[in-house]
Amino acid sequence: MMAPGDAATTFGPGDHASTYGGNPLACAAGLAVAQYIYDKNVLDNVKARGEQLTQGLEKLAEKYPTVLGQVRGWGLLKGIECIADDIAPGDLVAAAMNEGLLLVPAGANVVRFVPPLIISEEEINMALERFEAAVKSKAN
């Protein structure tokens, strides 16, 4: 690092370095992703699909009030509480995997949804159907 005076002693060796920092390929890839997000209105899809996912999960929480609780999260990163004493989030995640849906347990009582930013309306519907099948299999 080149800097004059006191600025030259601010960082020690390895304090401000990265193997890939400033790499032309990494920069080009980052710019291409940012351009795609902008050109394809990906954030509009995130907002719409996030609202769809929230509404669907809230309906499931109403349908299975002894198993599912509060829905929370931003955009497409959503979590739903697993409130049943005899069903852990990991149990629902395993049941969802058996239905072909990949989810993640989060904390002691939350099942987390982390779909891709480009997920479609149909795919959200399919995910909700599969999650309901998973919940139903554990609720009985």
Side-chain angles (χ1 to χ4, degrees):
M1 180 172 89
M2 291 181 25
D6 290 339
T9 62
T10 302
F11 292 108
D15 285 351
H16 187 57
S18 170
T19 301
Y20 300 106
N23 175 308
L25 178 60
C27 291
L31 285 172
V33 169
Q35 191 66 53
Y36 181 90
I37 288 171
Y38 177 78
D39 290 346
K40 304 293 184 182
N41 296 314
V42 171
L43 297 182
D44 290 342
N45 186 65
V46 168
K47 183 178 179 185
R49 300 293 67 83
E51 289 171 4
Q52 177 189 0
L53 183 57
T54 296
Q55 290 169 2
L57 291 173
E58 286 173 344
K59 286 179 185 174
L60 290 176
E62 289 174 16
K63 189 171 181 178
Y64 300 95
T66 61
V67 179
L68 302 174
Q70 179 186 17
V71 176
R72 56 184 181 242
W74 291 347
L76 279 168
L77 180 61
K78 300 291 181 192
I80 186 164
E81 288 179 323
C82 178
I83 60 173
D85 291 333
D86 59 339
I87 304 172
D91 298 333
L92 287 179
V93 168
M97 189 174 292
N98 289 336
E99 297 294 332
L101 178 62
L102 186 60
L103 301 174
V104 181
N109 70 335
V110 175
V111 174
R112 183 178 291 159
F113 287 72
V114 192
L117 302 180
I118 57 172
I119 194 166
S120 69
E121 182 177 357
E122 301 88 42
E123 291 167 327
I124 291 285
N125 288 333
M126 186 184 307
L128 290 166
E129 289 169 7
R130 291 178 181 193
F131 184 60
E132 181 172 12
V135 171
K136 192 173 184 179
S137 76
K138 290 298 178 181
N140 293 334

